[in-house]
């Protein structure tokens, strides 16, 4: 399974699979006890080097589990304002975050849907 990851992440145009490494991130915001933080134009690099530890696919229950380790880098633009404890925080600019041995797990329930040509596709309906 691990041998397929680098091929998949590089993209497979004839199957409609886009390049996955570097991957764009959705913009997000959060408020943590008075600290407002936003992140935009994010990119994740390094997913092609993921090492899968577990992959389980139960076609009867339509459920898929996977977990993997990855070293990756996240870059983007941040804005932070507010207070952290008693310290005032204000800033914005480029952010670069290096993540080492990040362990990710996905648990996905799915349905199967057919397109106009009768091909079946996995469509996630619930995940965590």
């Amino acid at each position: 399974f691990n041998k397929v990851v680098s091929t998949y992440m590089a993209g497979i145009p004839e199957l409609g699979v886009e390049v996955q490494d570097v991957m764009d991130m959705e913009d997000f915001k959060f408020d943590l006890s008075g600290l407002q933080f936003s992140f935009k134009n994010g990119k994740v690099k390094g997913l092609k080097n993921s090492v899968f530890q577990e992959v389980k696919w139960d076609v009867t229950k339509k459920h898929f589990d996977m977990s993997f380790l990855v070293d990756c880098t996240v870059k983007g633009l941040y804005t932070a304002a507010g207070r952290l404890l008693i310290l005032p925080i204000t800033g914005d600019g480029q952010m670069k975050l290096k993540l080492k041995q990040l362990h990710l797990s996905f648990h996905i329930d799915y349905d199967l849907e057919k397109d106009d040509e009768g091909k079946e596709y996995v469509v996630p309906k619930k995940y965590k």
Side-chain angles (χ1 to χ4, degrees), residues 80-115:
R83 289 190 171 278
L84 191 58
L85 298 175
I86 62 169
L87 300 172
I89 304 286
T90 307
D92 60 66
Q94 291 282 336
M95 183 181 90
K96 181 177 181 180
L97 181 64
K98 288 189 175 191
L99 302 167
K100 299 287 186 183
Q101 293 294 296
L102 179 65
H103 180 252
L104 296 170
S105 295
F106 294 95
H107 309 281
I108 302 167
D109 292 328
Y110 64 90
D111 283 326
L112 294 174
E113 293 183 6
K114 290 186 180 184
D115 65 8

Side-chain angles (χ1 to χ4, degrees), residues 1-2 52-58 64-68:
F1 194 84
N2 283 312
F52 281 80
Q53 297 178 308
E54 178 180 48
V55 177
K56 292 181 183 177
W57 195 317
D58 187 329
F64 181 75
D65 293 311
M66 67 177 165
S67 66
F68 57 95

Side-chain angles (χ1 to χ4, degrees), residues 18-68:
E18 296 180 12
V19 174
Q20 304 293 309
D21 191 22
V22 173
M23 183 182 290
D24 292 333
M25 293 177 60
E26 289 187 23
D27 297 348
F28 65 88
K29 296 180 182 181
F30 65 84
D31 185 336
L32 179 65
S33 300
L35 175 66
Q36 292 83 37
F37 184 89
S38 67
F39 185 75
K40 295 181 179 182
N41 302 326
K43 306 249 185 236
V44 180
K45 183 177 182 181
L47 296 174
K48 66 183 174 190
N49 301 317
S50 300
V51 177
F52 281 80
Q53 297 178 308
E54 178 180 48
V55 177
K56 292 181 183 177
W57 195 317
D58 187 329
V59 293
T60 306
K61 294 181 180 177
K62 295 183 182 174
H63 183 82
F64 181 75
D65 293 311
M66 67 177 165
S67 66
F68 57 95

